Amino acid sequence: AGGGRMIERLRKWYYNAAGFNKLGLMRDDILHEDDDVKEALKRLPEHLYNERVFRIKRALDLSLKHQILPKDQWVKYEEDHPYLEPYLKEVIRERREREAWNKK
């Protein structure tokens, strides 16, 4: 159990050290947009997509101004949820299934 807590503390430290949360971004906001991610984004419910666009636009604005959000507005490790992950897993599963079918 002690090792698990240490790993969790390390993850939290790395999350904060990466810095994207200081711009109000979540982990799924910074994924490289390959074809799978682009397809998953198309499948997001409108409210999740709009929230993502807002966070990205705000982060770009802050970055251009060389600013970060006030600390109370940073995305906390515990609040960051993988909103895109279920859609991305489904897209990848479908692509692999299609690729396997095309090999036959």
Side-chain angles (χ1 to χ4, degrees):
R5 282 192 299 254
M6 178 64 108
I7 290 172
E8 192 63 20
R9 281 197 305 259
L10 184 60
R11 283 182 181 153
K12 191 173 182 178
W13 173 84
Y14 184 77
Y15 179 87
N16 287 313
F20 58 84
N21 64 319
K22 297 172 186 170
L23 297 172
L25 295 171
M26 301 174 109
R27 280 176 286 210
D28 283 358
D29 295 336
I30 62 169
L31 291 174
H32 173 71
E33 289 193 21
D34 60 14
D35 291 338
D36 291 337
V37 172
K38 287 177 184 177
E39 180 59 33
L41 288 170
K42 291 178 187 176
R43 298 180 185 196
L44 275 178
E46 187 174 2
H47 75 281
L48 289 178
Y49 182 79
N50 290 339
E51 290 169 4
R52 172 190 167 89
V53 169
F54 171 79
R55 287 190 302 271
I56 291 172
K57 284 183 177 182
R58 178 179 57 186
L60 286 169
D61 183 55
L62 288 166
S63 181
L64 287 170
K65 295 176 181 176
H66 300 283
Q67 297 175 346
I68 60 173
L69 290 171
K71 191 166 186 167
D72 64 327
Q73 294 180 32
W74 294 1
V75 177
K76 293 168 189 60
Y77 176 79
E78 298 80 14
E79 297 170 349
D80 192 333
H81 59 282
Y83 67 90
L84 189 60
E85 187 177 327
Y87 302 94
L88 186 56
K89 283 182 177 179
E90 182 68 15
V91 167
I92 292 169
R93 185 192 61 75
E94 289 173 4
R95 178 179 47 80
R96 288 181 177 158
E97 189 176 296
R98 212 172 22 257
E99 289 169 352
W101 180 259
N102 289 337
K103 285 183 182 178
K104 292 182 181 181

